[in-house]
Amino acid sequence: MTESSQPLKLIIDGQPVPFVKGDSVLVAMLRNQHHPTGGGCLCLGGDCPHCLATIDGVAYVRTCQVPARPGCVVACTHHAHAVPALPQTHHVEPTTNARHQHADVVVIGQGKSGLAAAELARTAGQTVVTLDAAQGQDVIGIYPGAQVVARTTQGMLIVHVRQEIIVATGAAELHPVALGNSLAGLMTARAAQQLQAAGLSLGRIVVINDANRLVRFEGESNVTAVVVRDDQGLEQHVGCDTAVIDLGTTPRNMLHRMAAGLPGVRVSVVGDAATNSDVPNCPAHGLVCHCSQVGVADLQSVWDRGFHELELVKRASLAGTGTCQGGVCLPYVRSFLANKGGTLQPAFTARPLARPITMGEVAAGGHHHVTLRTPLDGVHRAAHAHMERAGGWWRPWNYGDWQAEYWAVREAVSIMDVSTLGKMLISGPDALTLLDRLYPTKVSTIKTGMSRYVLLLDEKGYVLDDGLISKISDTRYTLTFTSGGATTAELWVRDWAESWGLNVRILNQTMSLGAINVTGPLAKELLARAGLEKPPEFLSHVEAHVAGIPCRIFRLSFTGELSYELHHAAVNAPVLWRTLLDLGKSLNIRPHGLEALLKLRLEKGHIIVGQDTDFDSTPRRIHHEWAVKLDKPDFVGKHAVLRTNKVSLDKILCGLSMEGPPPIEGANLTVDGNYAGYVTSATWSPILGKTVMLAWLKLSNDLAPDRVMIDGRPAQRTETPFYDKEGARAKA
Amino acid sequence: MPKLDRFPLTRIVSTPALLDGIQTSTTAIVMRTAPDELFWLGSPAAPVINDPHAIIEHDTSFVGTWLSTQAATAWVSANCEWQLPTTRPVFAQGEVAGLPVKLWIEPRRMLVLVQQPFAADLGERLQ
């Protein structure tokens, strides 16, 4: 026997069984006396849940829609509509591709009506995409956009539709609802035709074409007889091997219902899917919804409990919530409710998904949200930094020894990658006007070459962000923002500039500039070694070369020590970083990460907007009234600040200190057992030998308590900064 | 994974009217990224603009790669929800593969650019 003449085989429940070329998996199973679910009326049209099985590890697959192929592994995990077990071992979902297509018109279904509709659209000069389940393009959802999403043999296809969605999905055959309708051997007329065409013997056949005469199906597991009522009303037993159900059709309009009403696109339905066929007679007995195993008696129970509206009956009974989404049961549930209530209710809402899909198919084409990388990202990783996500960026948490990093800042010199800071350049004749209206500080009093710490407020007077304004010339300024707030701040600045019609140019330099903070008592010495002879004074800035690299150098301090922030072209960041580390070796330099920085800044009582502030933090509540000049003519948030200043203060952000280890951030404060606020930042201070914190504290009669309890331990209200109160070290 | 190269360019931020008046070049790639911003990539150098307040920045933070039409079509088809313009050459920008990209599309190839913070992810998502 040559290889090509070997019989084709697939594997069913561990056993190889032959199939014939052209078989679907279902036909191959029936050819070998296997019923995927053990019973129920088969349709071979993809409408019912009776042929579900697990194929190649994927559950809930309609075997009638999948061509059989050699080696295909089928497991009857849905027998008697059981729920298949979840994979017991680590399961790696294979990647599913996604493709996007754009078209004026999408036609779903390629029967006569669908073909005609597509041809008509093409003739009219429209671009058309056709989708047909019979060709392996199974539409699983229609979404606003409008997007028609189909599962195809090449992965997920997302069709972006500009003008019209035409549903031409035809009609499904009605299934029988009677006692015994879960037996094997029941099939629709179309299914019987297909099986006979495939060469399967159906044995003795009884055709049921009058639901009024159908009483029940009889048999153990396979149907052996159909009981019908004759003209005299007497029951007649008709022996059979196959009961062929020919009770008419119902429009297959789920996708039309799903798409109807989507904005920006026409939705039409043509052919048999557009027919308004009568619903079948009200069933008296039997299973109505096979997916959820809901019988007529269950519907009666739901009705008796007061659920009379179709959407509620669906939820109360679960009829229509299974894998076929009402494809089989909906006509009968509507019929039941019409019989009870006298009114035929419209079909229930159809929402994606129309078909079960895999997690891989759900994720197809999706990407995780990007965490940004600074120009020094590779340098940090090469130094084995422990990287963490913070403010939307990958940042070094530490380089293995946070304590050494901390003390390098306090006692020697250290550098930190602060490229994540928002950075913006503003230029133009109206630059000052823009900034003076935008910020609560008097920008007009900032001298060229000087910088100022500023709050950014929203219209409600709440703190939106903070940063630095630096004046380069009368018409040119740089701004900095927090790492996490930079994107919002850019939109904020641009929006106001446009709203006020100001003549300014704005450039976001956050990603084009790197930034390195050189900090510690020996920072000046390090920069001198790098060739900077005249570093800027406190809160001023200069343009100069550091280690041969052009920089704008800002003198400010977040750590509490002498600090210089070097802004430079991002491409130069690695060279500058390595050069500074080389030059600082004899100064015991080491880089520090966020872990050390959070301690350093908290010792100084510096806030982090977003961590220490809340959505309703006013300058007064965070003790930053000094940053708000209410004698300015106007600025964003001024009126709200004036209004809220008239209200008595109900809470403040304050400093606390305590002995022992720090509580978790977010820990509650209590006074006399009553809630009094919560901790926003807490750390053990190496230099102070105690825990220091920032916390929101409720006021009572305008007074803040001096002592609070945190996790059963006392804490003392303490003025900030906790360390170097006069700021002598930063201004040295 | 295609090798990503650095594409140094000049960013010009000025008034829309002045940017509209810039003579484009047949050799340089000129991308109008916003009404008030223009990217100039390649030679000759960007022209001098008659705006004392213009921001002219030599920007070295963009990285990217040229894709053949075939590779570009496959990548865009799998990762882009919006339809690319059909004229050539043409500039387009938006989210592709979850990244903010700038595209310069020529008849036989397409340049994909991102800023450096997205470079690693672009490399992964071009595979």
Side-chain angles (χ1 to χ4, degrees):
Chain A
M1 185 179 276
T2 63
E3 188 178 317
S4 60
S5 62
Q6 291 281 345
L8 301 167
K9 288 184 179 176
L10 49 71
I11 314 299
I12 300 174
D13 287 339
Q15 297 299 315
V17 297
F19 68 92
V20 175
K21 190 176 180 183
D23 280 358
S24 66
V25 170
L26 175 60
V27 171
M29 295 178 81
L30 295 173
R31 194 185 289 286
N32 292 279
Q33 284 76 51
H34 288 275
H35 191 298
T37 61
C41 179
L42 293 168
C43 70
L44 272 71
D47 294 305
C48 77
H50 300 306
C51 72
L52 293 178
T54 295
I55 298 182
D56 294 332
V58 178
Y60 294 102
V61 178
R62 281 172 167 70
T63 54
C64 72
Q65 303 292 298
V66 180
R69 53 179 177 72
C72 173
V73 177
V74 183
C76 297
T77 50
H78 298 263
H79 204 272
H81 295 283
V83 176
L86 291 171
Q88 294 299 304
T89 55
H90 179 63
H91 178 69
V92 178
E93 186 76 26
T95 302
T96 303
N97 294 327
R99 284 178 299 136
H100 295 269
Q101 263 189 282
H102 301 263
D104 297 323
V105 177
V106 62
V107 182
I108 306 170
Q110 284 294 277
K112 279 184 188 172
S113 304
L115 285 169
E119 185 55 31
L120 198 62
R122 286 194 189 97
T123 305
Q126 294 166 306
T127 55
V128 179
V129 168
T130 59
L131 300 169
D132 190 16
Q135 296 172 39
Q137 299 149 335
D138 204 6
V139 174
I140 56 94
I142 302 175
Y143 299 84
Q147 297 177 20
V148 177
V149 181
R151 174 173 44 201
T152 76
T153 50
Q154 284 87 42
M156 303 304 281
L157 174 64
I158 301 107
V159 184
H160 303 261
V161 191
R162 284 188 287 265
Q163 295 175 15
E164 186 173 15
I165 297 169
I166 300 174
V167 178
T169 43
E173 294 173 283
L174 283 170
H175 286 233
V177 177
L179 291 174
N181 62 351
S182 295
L183 292 169
L186 277 57
M187 62 190 67
T188 66
R190 290 179 196 162
Q193 285 173 355
Q194 287 183 53
L195 292 178
Q196 286 181 318
L200 271 70
S201 171
L202 302 181
R204 295 171 299 154
I205 295 174
V206 171
V207 177
I208 311 295
N209 54 18
D210 185 351
N212 293 324
R213 290 178 181 269
L214 176 62
V215 178
R216 62 183 175 274
F217 302 97
E218 290 185 343
E220 289 278 325
S221 57
N222 285 1
V223 64
T224 54
V226 177
V227 178
V228 294
R229 208 175 298 283
D230 65 16
D231 292 340
Q232 284 73 45
L234 301 174
E235 291 186 359
Q236 300 290 332
H237 285 67
V238 185
C240 67
D241 302 305
T242 301
V244 173
I245 313 301
D246 190 11
L247 298 177
T249 60
T250 183
R252 202 184 271 135
N253 58 13
M254 185 203 308
L255 294 175
H256 178 241
R257 286 184 281 126
M258 194 180 289
L262 286 181
V265 66
R266 285 195 308 280
V267 179
S268 51
V269 57
V270 298
D272 288 346
T275 57
N276 195 14
S277 64
D278 293 334
V279 294
N281 286 343
C282 176
H285 304 284
L287 209 51
V288 178
C289 170
H290 293 260
C291 300
S292 302
Q293 298 286 292
V294 178
V296 176
D298 299 310
L299 292 180
Q300 182 64 50
S301 167
V302 165
W303 176 272
D304 291 343
R305 281 184 280 147
F307 298 104
H308 297 167
E309 200 265 317
L310 178 58
E311 294 283 356
L312 298 179
V313 170
K314 175 185 173 183
R315 288 157 177 77
S317 69
L318 301 184
T321 62
T323 61
C324 77
Q325 291 286 287
V328 169
C329 69
L330 179 57
Y332 288 102
V333 179
R334 293 178 71 203
S335 171
F336 174 86
L337 293 176
N339 182 260
K340 292 289 178 187
T343 306
L344 181 61
Q345 300 183 31
F348 48 62
T349 307
R351 299 185 184 87
L353 300 166
R355 288 277 184 268
I357 61 174
T358 67
M359 291 304 289
E361 289 166 339
V362 171
H367 296 281
H368 63 79
H369 188 70
V370 174
T371 302
L372 303 174
R373 295 166 194 258
T374 75
L376 291 167
D377 186 82
V379 174
H380 301 317
R381 291 174 195 273
H384 306 295
H386 171 189
M387 303 296 284
E388 286 283 352
R389 293 179 175 92
W393 294 79
W394 281 112
R395 304 192 68 180
W397 181 246
N398 62 49
Y399 296 83
D401 186 348
W402 70 262
Q403 296 188 63
E405 295 164 26
Y406 168 92
W407 286 112
V409 176
R410 285 281 179 253
E411 300 295 337
V413 64
S414 177
I415 55 176
M416 182 176 190
D417 179 6
V418 291
S419 304
T420 59
L421 284 171
K423 301 176 278 291
M424 187 180 285
L425 183 60
I426 309 279
S427 173
D430 293 336
L432 174 60
T433 304
L434 169 66
L435 300 181
D436 230 0
R437 290 187 191 176
L438 206 54
Y439 286 97
T441 191
K442 289 182 179 173
V443 181
S444 57
T445 62
I446 301 175
K447 293 176 181 164
T448 298
M450 298 302 291
S451 305
R452 185 175 296 167
Y453 170 84
V454 284
L455 291 178
L456 192 61
L457 306 181
D458 67 13
E459 301 101 316
K460 299 184 186 77
Y462 298 141
V463 176
L464 196 63
D465 205 354
D466 67 355
L468 207 67
I469 295 180
S470 299
K471 183 174 178 180
I472 296 173
S473 70
D474 287 344
T475 58
R476 191 164 286 221
Y477 294 81
T478 66
L479 310 178
T480 61
F481 306 99
T482 58
S483 303
T487 303
T488 304
E490 180 187 0
L491 297 175
W492 187 255
V493 174
R494 287 186 183 278
D495 189 47
W496 280 111
E498 194 173 313
S499 299
W500 290 324
L502 297 176
N503 188 0
V504 292
R505 294 87 173 109
I506 299 169
L507 180 65
N508 185 342
Q509 300 175 300
T510 302
M511 296 186 192
S512 58
L513 296 183
I516 295 171
N517 189 34
V518 181
T519 181
L522 303 180
K524 194 172 180 180
E525 166 64 20
L526 175 64
L527 291 179
R529 293 183 183 189
L532 183 66
E533 293 175 358
K534 290 186 178 176
E537 297 299 315
F538 190 64
L539 286 179
S540 67
H541 56 96
V542 297
E543 277 189 66
H545 283 68
V546 177
I549 291 170
C551 294
R552 180 170 295 281
I553 304 152
F554 300 84
R555 171 88 185 274
L556 67 159
S557 181
F558 195 53
T559 63
E561 302 297 338
L562 175 65
S563 301
Y564 301 91
E565 212 167 272
L566 314 180
H567 291 203
H568 51 276
V571 69
N572 293 326
V575 171
L576 181 58
W577 180 269
R578 291 190 183 106
T579 304
L580 290 171
L581 286 180
D582 283 345
L583 294 171
K585 272 180 185 168
S586 63
L587 302 176
N588 292 323
I589 191 173
R590 57 168 65 229
H592 67 281
L594 274 179
E595 189 175 12
L597 178 69
L598 294 179
K599 290 178 177 293
L600 295 158
R601 71 92 191 177
L602 193 48
E603 288 171 345
K604 286 297 294 176
H606 291 316
I607 64 164
I608 293 179
V609 174
Q611 175 167 335
D612 299 305
T613 59
D614 213 334
F615 62 90
D616 62 350
S617 297
T618 60
R620 190 166 60 131
R621 283 175 169 156
I622 63 169
H623 280 308
H624 276 54
E625 299 101 320
W626 54 268
V628 178
K629 303 303 177 193
L630 291 171
D631 56 341
K632 277 179 66 175
D634 202 5
F635 59 85
V636 175
K638 177 180 178 182
H639 298 286
V641 171
L642 287 171
R643 190 179 66 248
T644 54
N645 278 355
K646 294 175 186 168
V647 181
S648 62
L649 208 51
D650 59 343
K651 60 180 179 181
I652 56 168
L653 186 71
C654 67
L656 296 174
S657 59
M658 70 191 306
E659 301 302 319
I664 60 166
E665 290 170 350
N668 283 352
L669 316 182
T670 58
V671 174
D672 298 331
N674 297 315
Y675 174 78
Y678 65 94
V679 174
T680 61
S681 299
T683 194
W684 169 258
S685 165
I687 203 160
L688 300 171
K690 61 181 178 181
T691 286
V692 294
M693 294 165 275
L694 289 175
W696 281 105
L697 184 58
K698 284 173 67 176
L699 302 190
S700 178
N701 297 324
D702 291 337
L703 294 174
D706 288 333
R707 287 171 62 85
V708 298
M709 298 296 286
I710 305 172
D711 293 338
R713 293 188 289 145
Q716 184 73 33
R717 195 152 63 84
T718 309
E719 288 299 311
T720 58
F722 302 99
Y723 166 74
D724 187 24
K725 290 190 183 296
E726 288 73 36
R729 296 178 71 88
K731 296 171 188 168
Chain B
M1 177 174 122
K3 181 176 172 292
L4 299 183
D5 296 314
R6 200 169 287 279
F7 284 81
L9 49 85
T10 303
R11 294 174 81 164
I12 306 173
V13 181
S14 184
T15 65
L18 283 170
L19 293 180
D20 287 345
I22 285 186
Q23 292 293 312
T24 55
S25 154
T26 54
T27 52
I29 294 172
V30 182
M31 297 181 258
R32 187 67 174 270
T33 54
D36 64 346
E37 185 182 55
L38 178 148
F39 284 15
W40 188 282
L41 198 163
S43 57
V48 175
I49 190 165
N50 185 25
D51 175 7
H53 303 292
I55 300 173
I56 317 285
E57 180 167 273
H58 182 63
D59 193 331
T60 51
S61 67
F62 281 88
V63 296
T65 188
W66 286 100
L67 299 177
S68 67
T69 299
Q70 188 181 7
T73 303
W75 190 63
V76 167
S77 164
N79 292 289
C80 183
E81 295 198 7
W82 44 282
Q83 192 165 21
L84 298 188
T86 52
T87 56
R88 300 289 182 270
V90 69
F91 168 68
Q93 62 185 340
E95 184 176 293
V96 183
L99 302 169
V101 303
K102 300 189 187 300
L103 305 173
W104 176 255
I105 312 168
E106 295 181 352
R108 294 174 194 279
R109 60 180 187 165
M110 180 174 84
L111 174 62
V112 185
L113 285 180
V114 295
Q115 276 194 290
Q116 177 274 330
F118 298 100
D121 292 278
L122 176 66
E124 286 176 8
R125 294 173 192 191
L126 276 172
Q127 289 185 56

